[in-house]
């Protein structure tokens, strides 16, 4: 499916990104995040958020230098779970970045909030289990029960910012949830149902998720290496990416800085397999997004790939890209190599990276890259960022269960046809000689 898109008066509104907030293992806030992307810095560390002694792989990506009390001013801190705290902090950053206050949003007619997540408040289940197993229900702090529901991410955000006139939803479509949330926000503003949308994704590392991915054999030993012949899986991460979307005319009228236009998106679910992506379905989702954006495949000059670094995902994703783009693929980047797989926040942070690429004119690299796998040969911008005139970005997300979401971002000045720029670090023959 794609957006319905048209406003009530028949005019299709253009929707732009005017503010962004980031929490990640490579930096908190848009400025540090941009610097780390340019440098190709990886935030991999040993996981310390919980006891990992029983896990064979213990590396991951954690947010540091974060104090909930610095961002949560109105709600009782004990009522706010860690993922909701991340969403609130990243949203406050996005508002500040947009030059708006919560009270100014309050004055607007109607707003929309959507937060994507995989685990929601699941990390607090660890505390419930640890309390209940040895001592019974009486030993469980009642406050933990209030922190578990995924719905708290969006509801707490609305309560903390004092926004009573909003539609607030949490979207639990796993790795695709961030793009789902941004697409929903695009619909709300583009149709005229909302004056602004505060959308993105948030998730926190937890024992349950590490256990699940470990049992699936998908966790890397040391580093995540998307599209690399020596890749051995993903590394889990945590973080949040929140974006403020506005009608382009309103943003222009108030003199707001615009990072990028949200041009369109596509969603589908192929119901093919619990964990394996399906090539034709992924390709169809890419085409839905391009059609919704009103552009052709040749207009895209950067793909923020799902790029998990797992054997099946990387091959299937590049095969689907060939189905859509033909033999000559656009340049790609896989930021999970730097920030880990942040689950429900992953595609939201990918969208932030894509908007920064357009705004600042550079392509973030794929870190930890050694040798491109000929089975998924793509110019993934290995290890070093590249200066480039980035006009159109496709941000891809492929979630478990065949739940795909693809977003298209564009230069706010409406430029479309990109120049052909070849990355000098790319192995020169791989893509043409051994297409997937």
């Amino acid at each position: 499916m794609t957006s319905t898109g048209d406003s009530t008066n028949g005019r299709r509104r253009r929707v732009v990104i005017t503010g962004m907030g980031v929490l990640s293992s490579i930096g908190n806030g848009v400025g540090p995040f941009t610097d780390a992307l340019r440098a190709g810095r990886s935030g991999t560390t040993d996981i310390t958020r919980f006891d990992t002694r029983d896990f064979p792989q213990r590396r991951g990506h954690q947010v540091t230098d974060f104090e909930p009390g610095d961002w949560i001013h109105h709600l009782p801190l004990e009522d706010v779970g860690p993922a909701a705290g991340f969403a609130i902090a990243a949203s406050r950053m996005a508002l500040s970045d947009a030059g708006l206050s919560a009270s100014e949003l309050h004055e607007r007619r109607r707003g929309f909030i959507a937060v994507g997540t995989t685990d929601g408040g699941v990390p607090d289940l660890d505390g419930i289990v640890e309390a209940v197993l040895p001592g019974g229900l009486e030993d469980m702090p009642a406050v933990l029960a209030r922190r578990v529901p995924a719905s708290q991410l969006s509801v707490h955000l609305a309560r903390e910012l004092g926004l009573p006139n909003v539609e607030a939803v949490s979207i639990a479509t796993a790795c695709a949830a961030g793009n789902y949330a941004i697409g929903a926000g695009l619909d709300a503003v583009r149709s005229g149902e909302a004056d602004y949308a505060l959308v993105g994704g948030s998730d926190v590392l937890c024992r349950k998720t590490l256990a699940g991915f470990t049992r699936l054999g998908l966790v890397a030993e040391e580093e995540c290496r998307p599209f690399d012949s020596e890749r051995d899986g993903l590394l889990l991460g945590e973080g949040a990416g929140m974006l403020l979307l506005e009608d382009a005319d309103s943003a222009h009228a108030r003199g707001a800085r615009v990072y990028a236009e949200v041009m369109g998106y596509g969603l589908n679910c192929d119901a093919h397999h619990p964990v394996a992506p399906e090539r034709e379905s992924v390709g169809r989702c890419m085409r839905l997004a391009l059609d919704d954006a009103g552009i052709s495949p040749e207009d895209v000059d950067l793909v923020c790939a799902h790029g998990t670094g797992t054997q099946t995902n990387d091959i299937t994703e590049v095969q689907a890209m060939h189905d859509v783009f033909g033999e000559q693929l656009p340049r790609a980047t896989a930021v999970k190599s730097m920030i880990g797989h942040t689950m429900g926040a992953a595609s939201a942070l990918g969208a932030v990276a894509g908007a920064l690429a357009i705004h600042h004119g550079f392509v973030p690299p794929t870190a930890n890259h050694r040798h491109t796998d000929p089975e998924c040969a793509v110019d993934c911008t290995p290890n070093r960022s590249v200066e480039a005139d980035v006009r159109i970005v496709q941000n891809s997300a492929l979630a478990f269960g065949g739940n795909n979401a693809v977003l298209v971002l564009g230069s706010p000045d409406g430029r479309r046809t990109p120049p052909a720029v070849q990355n000098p670090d790319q192995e020169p023959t791989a893509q043409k000689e051994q297409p997937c």
Side-chain angles (χ1 to χ4, degrees), residues 360-429:
H360 293 292
F362 77 103
V363 178
T366 299
N368 313 313
H369 198 77
R370 293 169 175 164
H371 307 288
T372 300
D373 183 352
E375 287 197 83
C376 49
V378 62
D379 178 356
C380 66
T381 323
N383 300 318
R384 288 190 296 174
S385 61
V386 175
E387 300 298 316
D389 185 12
V390 181
R391 301 176 182 183
I392 306 285
V393 174
Q394 173 184 297
N395 183 44
S396 301
L398 323 177
F400 280 177
N403 220 344
N404 308 306
V406 176
L407 187 73
V408 177
L409 304 178
S411 172
D413 64 9
R415 294 174 298 161
R416 291 296 178 264
T417 304
V421 179
Q422 184 65 38
N423 178 6
D425 290 339
Q426 173 65 17
E427 295 171 7
T429 58

Side-chain angles (χ1 to χ4, degrees), residues 13 227 367 423:
R13 290 182 171 185
F227 310 113
N423 178 6

